[in-house]
């Protein structure tokens, strides 16, 4: 089954949502499995620049909107599956031009990003509003490495720099943080969100904002870059 519907989000999504509580937020994620939405995050506050497996598309990109619903396709195919094999007549193809199809995921020049452009612009507008209103911004980044760093890792650094925000980088293998921004690198997996939740409750109970502060992780050289330009490249 398509994991967009068959695999429940892990508990760390719920821990993050509880950490946010009633604060304003926007999710920028390279995940394509809809876990944030299914865990209860507001879909209007989620941007998935790498696509979403709830959609499939024409590999020939015959039109900018040749993107279709995966669930209805799978619902039709699943009853015919036998040992993971379907009849050749049911192999999906583009409803418009008959070309081969694939999940609507960023993986080459054939990717059609139109479904996600509105959320791209909404995310940019939200960050700009946070800056204009002088809001204090905390960026919690989980598992953003160097596979596609211009999608999440570098934009998070740039936003923290532009807005004088704070970056919490959670990454078991690449926790390094730039030295020119307020940042801490935690060499751990997503499970540490539960510890941060407990720490937040402790700080709230003691009413001491200095409680539980942690030092910075190993420094890395800032790669620079403008987050707005990176967002524009994803459209």
């Amino acid at each position: 089954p398509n994991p967009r519907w068959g695999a429940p989000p892990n508990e760390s999504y719920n821990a993050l949502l509880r950490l946010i509580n009633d604060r304003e937020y926007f999710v920028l994620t390279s995940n394509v499995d809809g876990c944030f939405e299914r865990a209860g995050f507001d879909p209007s506050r989620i941007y998935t620049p790498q696509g979403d497996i709830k959609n499939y598309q024409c590999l020939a990109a015959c039109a900018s909107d040749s993107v279709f619903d995966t669930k209805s396709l799978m619902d039709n195919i699943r009853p015919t599956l036998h040992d993971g094999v379907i009849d050749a007549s049911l192999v999906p193809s583009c409803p418009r031009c008959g070309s081969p199809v694939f999940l609507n995921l960023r993986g080459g020049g054939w990717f059609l990003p139109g479904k996600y452009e509105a959320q791209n612009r909404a995310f940019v507008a939200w960050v700009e509003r946070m800056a204009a209103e002088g809001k204090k911004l905390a960026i919690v980044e989980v598992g953003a490495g160097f596979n596609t760093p211009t999608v999440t890792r570098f934009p998070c650094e740039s936003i923290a720099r532009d807005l004088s925000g704070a970056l919490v980088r959670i990454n078991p293998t690449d926790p390094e943080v730039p030295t020119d921004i307020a940042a801490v690198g935690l060499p751990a997996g997503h499970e540490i969100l539960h510890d941060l939740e407990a720490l937040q409750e402790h700080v709230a109970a003691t009413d001491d904002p200095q409680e539980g502060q942690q030092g910075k992780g190993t420094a890395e050289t800032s790669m620079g870059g403008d987050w707005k330009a990176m967002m524009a490249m994803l459209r």
Side-chain angles (χ1 to χ4, degrees):
N2 189 316
R4 182 62 165 76
W5 298 278
N10 65 55
E11 182 57 31
S12 293
Y13 286 92
N14 296 324
L16 179 58
L17 191 56
R18 291 192 297 268
L19 271 170
I20 294 170
N21 197 5
D22 59 353
R23 300 176 181 88
E24 284 200 69
Y25 69 89
F26 212 111
V27 175
L28 168 65
T29 179
S30 61
N31 292 356
V32 297
D33 54 11
C35 278
F36 278 101
E37 179 180 344
R38 292 185 288 126
F41 289 79
D42 184 348
S44 70
R45 299 181 180 185
I46 302 171
Y47 171 41
T48 60
Q50 300 291 67
D52 193 317
I53 56 178
K54 71 178 180 180
N55 302 314
Y56 73 99
Q57 68 158 89
C58 174
L59 273 178
C62 64
S64 61
D65 62 346
S66 288
V67 181
F68 314 99
D69 176 60
T70 304
K71 190 174 188 303
S72 58
L73 176 72
M74 294 302 298
D75 286 346
N76 289 332
I77 291 176
R78 189 173 292 111
T80 70
L81 281 171
H82 298 288
D83 296 324
V85 178
I86 63 173
D87 187 273
S89 64
L90 295 176
V91 173
S93 60
C94 176
R96 290 179 173 169
C97 73
S99 294
V101 295
F102 193 69
L103 294 171
N104 184 216
L105 305 179
R106 190 181 299 274
W110 44 264
F111 176 61
L112 297 174
K115 285 274 188 182
Y116 318 102
E117 183 172 344
Q119 286 307 102
N120 176 298
R121 297 187 186 280
F123 173 70
V124 171
W126 182 85
V127 176
E128 290 178 332
R129 181 169 64 82
M130 293 298 102
E133 296 178 1
K135 295 288 183 69
K136 293 181 178 180
L137 188 65
I139 301 169
V140 180
E141 177 200 283
V142 184
F146 290 99
N147 185 27
T148 53
T150 56
V151 174
T152 50
R153 187 180 180 100
F154 293 165
C156 285
E157 294 176 2
S158 178
I159 291 169
R161 189 172 293 112
D162 279 5
L163 275 67
S164 298
L167 170 65
V168 179
R169 171 164 285 159
I170 299 170
N171 196 306
T173 57
D174 300 299
E176 298 81 13
V177 294
T179 56
D180 63 329
I181 60 176
V184 59
L186 303 178
H190 61 80
E191 297 84 359
I192 201 173
L193 288 167
H194 299 280
D195 297 323
L196 295 181
E197 183 182 14
L199 178 62
Q200 177 177 258
E201 292 173 355
H202 172 70
V203 171
T206 58
D207 196 29
D208 182 358
Q210 300 302 314
E211 281 279 345
Q213 284 194 350
Q214 302 193 39
K216 290 184 178 181
T218 305
E220 72 173 13
T221 302
S222 173
M223 299 303 292
D226 172 40
W227 67 271
K228 289 184 185 179
M230 287 182 264
M231 291 299 104
M233 288 176 61
L234 293 172
R235 291 199 283 269

